[in-house]
């Protein structure tokens, strides 16, 4: 989250660069004392910040500094955007056929298949996300690049019907130019892939800014792009904080499109930044997603669904189902099982094959959750399980927590916590559940568990969300769109349509009659 406590910026001289696959780079060792030194990637070359500034990244499971990154200056960001602009205007990327561009992205997919496990270790060390999950996501990553590589030569124009004597009218789709991609720390490789792959497939060039809380996996990804033969300047990475790095990037006059994933407060600043360059925007923001469980639901299945909705990734997911709406008749039975299951969750080393939940990614995350939970307790919310740090004296761990809330006005029901905290509310009738579910500033995702398909469908249609699950949760596919509305942002990522969001139409009229253009001032 913005405002996180981070170690002071250092000006430590750059040691051996980390990019994991470079000649002589040592394999990453979890918990190893040596700090890994990462570099930015601008115009096809690894580089440090122009003034030598660096910042550190902390392993959230051990609270030890494990990596260091360049703190990009305004000049560095400007150089990256200009390199991307040059590559767009005159470089080979814009002159390549769409099929050739697609082939480069498919090579990225091949490289990822080999390097995925190493990138997964980087992401887990950086964020505390379970290695089992980052490994799965790394595999899925190759599929995303393969998918958009395949779509590159399917961005088609149109020939609208016009009269036989009218000029030929053509609609062509063209890339926009330089894309600025700003990504958060959670699922950073996957979330950035949903920007990089369609943007490049459509013929744009890109500058990516990972989160200063965790930049490792995205930064290491540069090596994949280099090995796959992405031309210089087409793909660039700048690392650093909101200001100057993020602000310079998003307000840069040469940026034509901003793709942002993160929190709503940052989104407001990015909207303001885009007033400078009038860049097109898409905003993937947070959520406070409701899950409705009706009396007729299969209890065991719905309990499993809820476990995945709120405790997977320690609840640090934009789609987390963090508001459970439980019908009266099933309320006690369901909660008893859910609380028992939550109590069995194994918290600990995110590298462990048996671990169910790792730490939160930042100390600020944990502090915020504790603060909002405390305020909700004072207002009368009742913790049924969890609420503590799980007995860890090191690492930003937080227990799976289930809280009974009398109404929707408790701070933990209104605000996105981005952690493993579930608010539970009771309802009697379907209408009441829908009313409660709709009563939120967010509209990202939602879910329902019931054996009545008609009720499931009515509920799915009545709750505002960009993604909705019936009798399951968290299932996903790169071919399906995701995104939200209201405080959850606007625009969609994933699927075929996303590639069009990185293009604009041009309407071309061509007079093929061979006749001279008539004098416009002579009326016939
Ligand atoms: P954040 O908004 O604090 O930061 C996100 C990124 O924005 C970071 O790279 C940060 O450096 C950058 N940034 C911050 N201020 C900026 C500025 N003024 N100008 C330009 N860039 C700036 O979010 P976070 O804490 O990293 O991530 C958590 C949030 O992201 C949650 O709200 C979560 O729900 C959301 N999220 C949404 C999705 C989605 O797909 N909708 C996915 C994951 C996370």
């Amino acid at each position: 989250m913005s405002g996180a406590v981070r170690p002071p910026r250092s000006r430590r001289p750059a040691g051996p660069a980390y990019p994991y696959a470079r000649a002589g780079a040592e394999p990453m060792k979890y918990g190893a004392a040596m700090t890994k030194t990462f570099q930015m990637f601008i115009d096809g070359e690894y580089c440090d910040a122009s003034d030598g500034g660096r910042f550190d990244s902390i392993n959230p499971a051990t609270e030890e500094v494990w990596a260091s990154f360049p703190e990009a200056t305004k000049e560095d960001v400007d150089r990256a955007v200009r390199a991307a602009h040059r590559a767009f205007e005159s470089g080979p990327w814009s002159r390549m056929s769409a099929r050739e561009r697609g082939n480069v992205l498919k090579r990225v997919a091949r490289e990822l298949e080999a390097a995925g496990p190493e990138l997964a270790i980087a992401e887990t060390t950086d964020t505390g996300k379970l290695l089992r999950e980052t490994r799965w996501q790394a595999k899925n990553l190759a599929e995303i690049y393969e998918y958009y590589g395949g779509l590159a030569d399917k961005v088609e124009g149109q020939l609208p019907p016009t009269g036989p004597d009218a000029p030929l009218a053509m609609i062509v789709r063209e890339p926009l130019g330089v894309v600025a991609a700003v990504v958060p720390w959670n699922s950073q490789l996957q979330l950035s892939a949903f920007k990089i792959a369609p943007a490049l497939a459509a013929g744009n060039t890109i500058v990516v800014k990972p989160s200063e809380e965790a930049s490792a996996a995205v930064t290491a990804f540069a090596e994949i792009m280099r090995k796959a033969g992405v031309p210089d300047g087409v793909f660039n990475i700048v690392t650093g904080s909101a200001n100057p790095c993020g602000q310079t990037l998003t307000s840069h006059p040469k940026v034509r499109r901003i793709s942002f994933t993160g929190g709503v407060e940052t989104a407001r600043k990015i909207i303001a930044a885009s007033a400078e360059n009038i860049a097109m925007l898409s905003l993937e923001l947070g959520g406070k997603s409701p899950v409705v469980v009706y009396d007729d639901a299969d209890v065991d299945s719905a309990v499993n669904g809820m476990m995945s909705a709120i405790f997977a990734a320690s609840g640090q997911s934009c789609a987390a189902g963090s508001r459970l709406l439980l019908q009266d008749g099933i309320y006690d039975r369901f909660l008893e099982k859910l609380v028992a299951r939550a109590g069995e969750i194994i918290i600990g080393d995110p590298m462990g094959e048996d671990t169910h939940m790792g730490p939160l990614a930042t100390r600020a995350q944990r502090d915020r959750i504790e603060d909002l939970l405390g305020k909700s307790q004072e207002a009368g919310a009742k913790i049924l399980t969890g609420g503590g740090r799980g007995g860890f004296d090191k690492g930003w761990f937080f227990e799976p927590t289930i809280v009974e809330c009398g109404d929707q006005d408790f701070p933990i029901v209104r605000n996105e916590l981005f952690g493993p905290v579930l608010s539970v509310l009771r309802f009697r009738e379907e209408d009441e559940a829908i009313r409660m579910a709709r009563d939120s500033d967010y509209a990202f995702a939602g879910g329902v568990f019931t054996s009545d398909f008609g009720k499931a469908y009515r509920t799915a249609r009545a709750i505002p969300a960009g993604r909705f699950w019936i009798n399951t949760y968290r299932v996903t596919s790169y071919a399906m769109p995701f995104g939200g509305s209201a405080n959850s942002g606007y625009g969609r990522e994933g699927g075929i349509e996303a590639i069009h969001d990185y293009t604009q139409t041009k309407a071309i009229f061509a007079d093929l009659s061979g006749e001279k253009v008539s004098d416009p001032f002579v009326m016939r």
Side-chain angles (χ1 to χ4, degrees), residues 1-4 6 181-188 191 195 209-215 240-251 258 260-271 273 283-288 315-320 362 365 368 416-418 442 444 482-484 487-489 493:
M1 309 293 294
S2 29
R6 282 183 286 117
V182 180
V183 287
W185 42 264
N186 70 311
S187 301
Q188 51 184 281
L191 293 172
K195 303 177 189 308
K209 181 212 165 312
S211 165
E212 64 273 42
E213 306 297 352
S215 316
S241 42
N243 197 12
C245 185
Q247 274 185 21
T248 310
L249 178 60
T250 50
S251 59
I258 303 167
F260 171 69
T261 302
V264 67
E265 288 311 321
T266 309
R268 291 196 169 95
K269 291 180 189 148
I270 287 182
I271 293 168
L283 305 169
E284 298 287 334
L285 312 179
K288 193 71 206 176
Q316 300 170 116
S317 158
C318 49
T362 67
Q365 271 284 103
R368 182 165 176 275
E416 180 190 43
L417 295 192
F418 222 54
Y442 293 98
F444 190 77
F482 66 92
N487 277 8
S488 296
E493 296 194 324

Side-chain angles (χ1 to χ4, degrees), residues 67 76 124 126 153 165 169 189 198 210 248 254 310 313 323 356 374 404 435 451 472:
D76 297 327
T124 291
D126 218 17
D153 59 0
D165 298 329
L189 278 173
T248 310
K254 295 269 184 251
I310 185 65
R323 281 191 296 148
H356 296 152
E404 256 187 320
R435 242 189 347 267
S451 50
T472 184

